[in-house]
Amino acid sequence: MKYLWIMIAVLSAISITSCELPEEGLRVSYDVVAVDSVQMPATFNFGQTYDIPVFYKKPSDCHVFEGFNVTPELNIRNISTVLARLDGGDCVDGNLPEEQSLRFTAASNGSYIFRFFNGVGANGEATYLEYDVQVLE
């Protein structure tokens, strides 16, 4: 029993002194980045799940993949890539290529239109990479 109390005391001391955050705390900001390309299948089979490779560039090595923001509108899927930027360290800037997979299940018949955010055009409007994919029975 004595050793159990010693282990609890040691673990408590380690947990209190490790992983201290700076006084101002860890700051995280979020960025939406343009998709460069997508390896979209020509067709989907109804009910099957697909991993769709999506390619983009990270602005720095302090950016980490946060996820895809998918907004459905009937059979249209508007998709943007969201990165989290962890502030507080030395970052190496540059267009660092990265790939993530978008998991999608073909849950209805007909077709899906995928619109991947591709940047902002000269007139200030968002541009998209568009794919129309038929669902086979």
Side-chain angles (χ1 to χ4, degrees), residues 22-38:
E23 234 177 78
E24 66 275 358
L26 180 65
R27 292 184 314 241
V28 178
S29 59
Y30 298 93
D31 298 314
V32 173
V33 295
V35 170
D36 294 326
S37 64
V38 178

Side-chain angles (χ1 to χ4, degrees), residues 2-124:
K2 179 179 173 183
Y3 292 109
L4 177 62
W5 287 110
I6 292 173
M7 288 300 292
I8 291 173
V10 169
L11 290 175
S12 296
I14 290 172
S15 67
I16 291 172
T17 59
S18 64
C19 298
E20 290 183 24
L21 292 176
E23 234 177 78
E24 66 275 358
L26 180 65
R27 292 184 314 241
V28 178
S29 59
Y30 298 93
D31 298 314
V32 173
V33 295
V35 170
D36 294 326
S37 64
V38 178
Q39 288 181 353
M40 184 65 69
T43 60
F44 292 132
N45 290 318
F46 179 78
Q48 288 191 357
T49 300
Y50 296 85
D51 288 323
I52 302 167
V54 178
F55 302 89
Y56 60 91
K57 292 184 180 74
K58 295 190 316 181
S60 76
D61 63 352
C62 286
H63 286 82
V64 294
F65 180 71
E66 179 65 24
F68 292 107
N69 183 20
V70 180
T71 307
E73 296 175 20
L74 298 175
N75 70 328
I76 299 172
R77 300 295 183 269
N78 292 309
I79 303 159
S80 57
T81 304
V82 180
L83 303 181
R85 185 184 195 298
L86 306 175
D87 294 331
D90 292 330
C91 299
V92 176
D93 290 335
N95 289 321
L96 309 169
E98 180 136 331
E99 171 189 348
Q100 293 291 332
S101 290
L102 172 67
R103 185 158 268 242
F104 177 76
T105 301
S108 67
N109 295 325
S111 68
Y112 286 95
I113 298 172
F114 292 86
R115 299 179 64 211
F116 290 89
F117 175 73
N118 183 246
V120 178
N123 59 358

Side-chain angles (χ1 to χ4, degrees), residues 115-137:
R115 299 179 64 211
F116 290 89
F117 175 73
N118 183 246
V120 178
N123 59 358
E125 292 186 14
T127 61
Y128 297 91
L129 300 175
E130 291 193 23
Y131 300 89
D132 188 352
V133 182
Q134 294 295 316
V135 178
L136 305 176
E137 307 253 346

